[in-house]
Amino acid sequence: MLGELSVSVRHGAAEGRVRVRVLQLAAGAAAASTVLLALATRGRAVQRLDDALEQAVGRWRPHLLRAARVGTLPGEPYAHPTIGAAAAIILISVGGARPRTVLVPLAGASLGAIVAHHAVKAAYRRPRPQVALRRGKTEPAFPSGHTADATAVLATAAYLVVRAGLAPARIAVPTATALAFVTGASRVALGWHWGSDVIGGWLTGLAVAALGAAEYERTC
């Protein structure tokens, strides 16, 4: 019996190390993709696609504004920390998780995404669309901060909830994906960002979320 238990513990530890490694590789791939996309946005091909999307959305913008203002809420500075805090409360009170095990990844997702997208913007000062510039929004465009922040917290929360057995992946993953998608789409609909800025935000958020999930696997 003790031998079987020892084998089971070693097997579980090995699985945990594999998960950590896979998540770290995923974070690296997402971060590298963000950099490659940033470089690609300097080319005419990507800018033409962004211009075409902006022109298409611009025709419908007056009709999209109300929905877009709601859709952008998960990325607001007060919202993504609240989402993370709510997820932590559920994981601790319902799932019985140790506070540090969930607080570090979720707080790291929120703060890490902010640091990450500001770091990229500091290195690559891409101009905003004309709609944003006319409104006085001159902060660099790439990547979308709202999108990165929301994606990081939503993806991390979904991962932790699934791993804790509080929700099946078939519910948690599509829900987080839909909210992250709507947040990103709203930034284009509002005229604050180019389409590729939003893709960069998704990638940045996923990179941060993967690191947060890896930290969870390391300490759970």
Side-chain angles (χ1 to χ4, degrees), residues 74 76-89 110 153:
E76 291 293 335
Y78 58 82
H80 58 87
T82 302
I83 294 170
I89 291 170
S110 186
V153 174

Side-chain angles (χ1 to χ4, degrees), residues 123-151:
Y124 176 30
R125 304 186 65 80
R126 188 189 192 191
R128 298 262 180 166
Q130 285 299 316
V131 172
L133 292 174
R134 286 197 296 268
R135 296 172 183 167
K137 189 69 170 179
T138 57
E139 179 188 359
F142 186 95
S144 165
H146 277 67
T147 306
D149 298 345
T151 301

Side-chain angles (χ1 to χ4, degrees), residues 27 50 84 86 98 110 121 152 164:
D50 280 333
R98 291 178 296 165
S110 186
K121 287 179 177 180

